[in-house]
Amino acid sequence: MGRLPTLLAAAAASGAGAARIGSGADLFAQFAPAFAAAKRGAGALEETSMVLPTGAGGVVEVDLSDAEVDAEGVYMAANGRVHGVAASDFMMKGTAEDMYGWVTYEDEGRALEYRSLDDGAVDVREVALEEVKPGCGVQTEEEAVANLTEADRRAYEALAERHEGTYNGQDIRYLQSLPGAKAVLMLDIDVFFRNKALNDDVTRYSKRHFYENWQTVAAGFSMFELNVVTDWEVYRRASIRDRGLACFFDEDGRSAAWPNSFGSNRCGSFNYRQETGYDLGRTTLHEVGHQFGLEHHGDVLSSGHWREYSNGLPEFKYVPIMGNFWVGKGWGGDALYQWSKGEYAGASNTGQDDLRLIQRYVARRQDDIRGNVPLKIAGTAVRAAENRGKIADSQDSDAFTFAVGSGGGRVDLDVDRTEYVGGAMLDVEATLLNAEGKVVARSNPTARRSA
């Protein structure tokens, strides 16, 4: 096996328990032979290893399983494991100015985390394994239901009819939410084609099930220039810095994710079976949030203790996606799942603005309605399919205009969000202004999403 040269540098203190190991440019350059080997074929890369410094003169040898650099030669990603250590893992990604990665020792419960500093140097520090590979202990649906109040449990059990997305027999292997977008999130559902004969019934193994999963994830990221796909060709055409991968398993288990793994070749989240497609979609949203570097939103309790997964605000039927999203299932069509910035009462993670952190990886979509747009009215009907807009953040608003004849009249308008289960994040506030811009009426029910 060929060994790549060691990055040699004097270790200098760079924070508690951390050591500088050289520059990001030097670390990036160390992978150049691996990129060349990968182009020659998988066999050549399998014969390639590299040696990374661990600080204080130590080194670790890593066997590479894949290594790739983008067409411009400025962004790289590599995966592998520690030589001779089966229960280990390795990832490195980034540019010469911004490198990030880790080496894990699963049986020892520890990891080495590599991160670029502001001055261009890279430091390495030993951390607990869960800092780079947290076992996402969010409650299962059964646990969440067991912890509901009696009234909320009765409401949950009364939801025999659940909203179904529009599935018209589309081939679920070629779904795209935003064709042409630069960034791509791949939902790898191939395991189900290998292990199960999918049918069209509404079961947890049906085509409808996986369509609803895709539909929920796509809705949850609809404010970003992110194409949520199930098509491998679309995924492979995206640059490595602009793609993420979520994998699905045909077995029961607790889902988990590799934090900050978007922009690599790695399967960044592991999603296990759920009862419905919407359940699976909400779980996937939560785990992909970790791929973008998000941590959990929790609650500070009156006792002074804190709960890692927030149960949200039941009186508003609101719960953060990075909290215990299962409680929202008992609220039916009015449940509000949102990316949060810790602004709700009792929030434990007030410094994390989810949308801003996701935007480090993918761009926000442009405002689709600027200024005022006349309502499209057919006779006396205002059809939702012809009168809609996208609200991308809490500062966005869409304005529609209409005129009432000189004789006056009565106008009844219902303003509602689309696709209200799973990925729906809008809580509608509707304001009616007259021609002079004065408020005539306003509607924003406490625990209803429409107005």
Side-chain angles (χ1 to χ4, degrees):
M1 176 179 290
R3 177 181 293 183
L4 304 184
T6 307
L7 175 65
L8 297 176
S14 62
R20 291 175 181 252
I21 59 168
S23 72
D26 289 340
L27 182 57
F28 190 101
Q30 189 180 355
F31 284 88
F35 303 145
K39 289 182 178 179
R40 294 196 301 270
L45 187 61
E46 289 173 1
E47 296 299 318
T48 303
S49 69
M50 64 186 303
V51 179
L52 292 171
T54 61
V59 296
V60 57
E61 183 177 355
V62 175
D63 298 335
L64 298 178
S65 58
D66 66 75
E68 185 176 351
V69 66
D70 65 8
E72 294 76 25
V74 298
Y75 187 95
M76 58 82 59
N79 292 293
R81 66 179 64 250
V82 178
H83 181 70
V85 182
S88 65
D89 218 325
F90 164 73
M91 184 195 78
M92 190 71 69
K93 66 168 191 169
T95 66
E97 296 76 26
D98 187 13
M99 298 289 285
Y100 177 77
W102 31 252
V103 176
T104 67
Y105 298 86
E106 312 276 332
D107 292 341
E108 300 176 29
R110 67 184 181 93
L112 298 171
E113 186 177 35
Y114 295 79
R115 188 185 298 270
S116 286
L117 305 175
D118 291 341
D119 62 3
V122 175
D123 79 359
V124 57
R125 64 189 183 108
E126 183 169 316
V127 299
L129 178 64
E130 55 265 25
E131 289 199 31
V132 299
K133 187 184 180 182
C136 199
V138 68
Q139 291 179 318
T140 64
E141 180 178 2
E142 292 76 13
E143 291 167 340
V145 173
N147 291 328
L148 292 176
T149 65
E150 185 60 32
D152 284 343
R153 187 180 299 112
R154 287 198 299 270
Y156 170 87
E157 292 170 349
L159 290 172
E161 294 297 325
R162 294 187 172 91
H163 172 69
E164 301 294 344
T166 304
Y167 177 65
N168 297 316
Q170 297 94 327
D171 191 330
I172 62 172
R173 297 170 297 177
Y174 304 105
L175 299 174
Q176 296 190 60
S177 65
L178 191 62
K182 180 180 179 183
V184 172
L185 174 64
M186 173 71 187
L187 307 184
D188 176 12
I189 60 174
D190 287 1
V191 64
F192 296 103
F193 287 98
R194 291 192 297 268
N195 293 356
K196 296 288 181 182
L198 297 182
N199 56 70
D200 290 325
D201 298 329
V202 185
T203 72
R204 67 183 189 174
Y205 303 115
S206 72
K207 295 176 182 178
R208 181 188 295 275
H209 179 98
F210 299 116
Y211 182 85
E212 292 167 354
N213 169 41
W214 166 81
Q215 187 181 47
T216 301
V217 177
F221 288 113
S222 62
M223 67 290 297
F224 292 101
E225 289 285 344
L226 179 64
N227 191 7
V228 180
V229 308
T230 58
D231 188 329
W232 279 109
E233 287 305 311
V234 177
Y235 169 78
R236 294 187 182 103
R237 286 198 299 267
S239 171
I240 51 175
R241 76 158 69 201
D242 296 317
R243 66 191 185 203
L245 179 60
C247 298
F248 298 84
F249 296 88
D250 188 13
E251 57 191 80
D252 295 324
R254 287 187 182 274
S255 298
W258 291 103
N260 295 297
S261 58
F262 192 92
S264 73
N265 293 322
R266 171 169 295 270
C267 180
S269 61
F270 317 95
N271 305 280
Y272 292 89
R273 290 189 304 212
Q274 304 294 345
E275 180 185 0
T276 73
Y278 296 119
D279 295 342
L280 185 59
R282 283 188 290 269
T283 303
T284 304
L285 273 177
H286 179 103
E287 300 304 342
V288 173
H290 288 310
Q291 291 194 50
F292 287 118
L294 306 185
E295 298 179 355
H296 293 137
H297 283 291
D299 297 322
V300 177
L301 306 178
S302 58
S303 63
H305 295 88
W306 67 286
R307 177 167 48 210
E308 183 177 1
Y309 300 89
S310 173
N311 284 340
L313 302 173
E315 64 271 30
F316 295 100
K317 298 183 179 179
Y318 159 87
V319 64
I321 291 171
M322 299 309 294
N324 181 19
F325 53 84
W326 285 111
V327 299
K329 192 171 179 180
W331 300 330
D334 283 322
L336 182 63
Y337 307 92
Q338 286 187 334
W339 301 114
S340 174
K341 56 182 178 181
E343 75 274 37
Y344 57 91
S348 65
N349 195 358
T350 56
Q352 176 174 290
D353 184 336
D354 295 351
L355 292 175
R356 181 180 61 82
L357 292 180
I358 295 172
Q359 199 170 347
R360 296 177 303 172
Y361 293 89
V362 293
R364 294 286 281 273
R365 295 182 67 177
Q366 296 295 313
D367 190 358
D368 63 330
I369 296 180
R370 301 179 181 181
N372 300 330
V373 175
L375 279 178
K376 296 178 180 178
I377 304 173
T380 60
V382 179
R383 297 188 179 91
E386 300 171 352
N387 297 278
R388 59 176 58 199
K390 181 175 293 295
I391 302 298
D393 58 48
S394 59
Q395 305 304 311
D396 189 11
S397 63
D398 290 346
F400 297 86
T401 62
F402 63 93
V404 177
S406 58
R410 177 183 177 85
V411 177
D412 288 313
L413 294 173
D414 291 321
V415 185
D416 203 353
R417 59 186 185 175
T418 59
E419 186 43 47
Y420 60 78
V421 169
M425 301 187 183
L426 182 63
D427 183 20
V428 176
E429 179 183 67
T431 303
L432 182 63
L433 308 177
N434 63 18
E436 287 75 40
K438 294 181 179 180
V439 176
V440 176
R442 177 177 285 117
S443 176
N444 185 17
T446 299
R448 283 183 55 203
R449 306 286 78 95
S450 60

